[in-house]
Amino acid sequence: MKPNNSVMKRLVLFALFGLLSAMPAQMRGQEVFNQVVANAKQVIDDPKANPFMLAISQFKYTALQYICNTAIKQNGGGVKGDWLDRQAYGLNHFIISYFTALSRAKNNDKAMKEVTSYYWKACSDNVLFHGQDKEITEVFIQDPDCITPFSLNTDWEKADKAITRE
């Protein structure tokens, strides 16, 4: 499913507004993570959810659950809330930036492929956990209809910095 350019622009702006309004300026440890997960889950659980927003929410929810669960396993049961917050914020910003860049490509197939390649490279260059099962972590990449073709095994804080640096 590929939304048209004007719909994509409106949805990106809606998602950005939702993100900003849902995150007070001063949140305590793990509140950003919890808020992003809760917002994604709310969309996933809504039977009337827009398919575009549903796909984004499914990716965010899956990615954040993967990061949290894998970190807990690797750290023997503990993970810092502020680290999870930075991952959630990075993921959210990365996704908003990605769809903003796609909407600027104005349905130019070559430009849209370049945008996707650029963002995909930022993910692949910033692996979070080494030695993970690629069949699991690359499930969104392997789906040709997926609108978020990125690895779950991404350090979103670093990937976000990589795309904003250039």
Side-chain angles (χ1 to χ4, degrees):
M1 175 200 61
K2 304 274 190 225
N4 70 38
N5 197 34
S6 65
V7 170
M8 189 182 305
K9 280 182 184 177
R10 281 186 261 141
L11 289 172
V12 167
L13 291 174
F14 174 74
L16 179 59
F17 178 74
L19 167 68
L20 296 176
S21 65
M23 292 186 186
Q26 301 211 344
M27 293 184 104
R28 286 168 279 155
Q30 202 171 327
E31 287 188 34
V32 174
F33 177 87
N34 290 340
Q35 188 67 48
V36 173
V37 168
N39 288 349
K41 186 78 169 112
Q42 184 178 9
V43 173
I44 291 167
D45 291 343
D46 181 357
K48 297 178 183 176
N50 171 290
F52 180 75
M53 294 305 292
L54 179 60
I56 292 170
S57 294
Q58 287 173 325
F59 178 77
K60 286 180 182 181
Y61 184 82
T62 304
L64 292 175
Q65 292 303 309
Y66 169 80
I67 288 170
C68 184
N69 292 335
T70 304
I72 287 170
K73 286 177 192 171
Q74 288 194 355
N75 295 330
V79 61
K80 292 184 178 186
D82 64 330
W83 180 80
L84 287 173
D85 281 347
R86 290 192 311 273
Q87 290 300 314
Y89 182 83
L91 169 62
N92 231 355
H93 187 265
F94 184 95
I95 295 297
I96 290 168
S97 177
Y98 172 65
F99 284 107
T100 301
L102 278 180
S103 72
R104 287 185 186 135
K106 301 199 190 291
N107 291 331
N108 176 323
D109 285 343
K110 182 180 178 192
M112 291 176 85
K113 285 179 184 177
E114 288 173 359
V115 166
T116 300
S117 177
Y118 178 73
Y119 280 78
W120 182 86
K121 184 170 177 7
C123 288
S124 67
D125 287 349
N126 291 288
V127 173
L128 187 56
F129 305 107
H130 296 283
Q132 295 301 301
D133 183 358
K134 287 189 178 206
E135 188 174 325
I136 293 169
T137 62
E138 295 185 358
V139 68
F140 287 87
I141 296 171
Q142 302 305 322
D143 181 353
D145 296 324
C146 185
I147 63 171
T148 50
F150 308 116
S151 174
L152 300 175
N153 189 15
T154 298
D155 184 327
W156 294 105
E157 182 179 22
K158 289 181 180 177
D160 186 47
K161 286 179 183 174
I163 57 128
T164 56
R165 203 176 342 176
E166 296 178 20

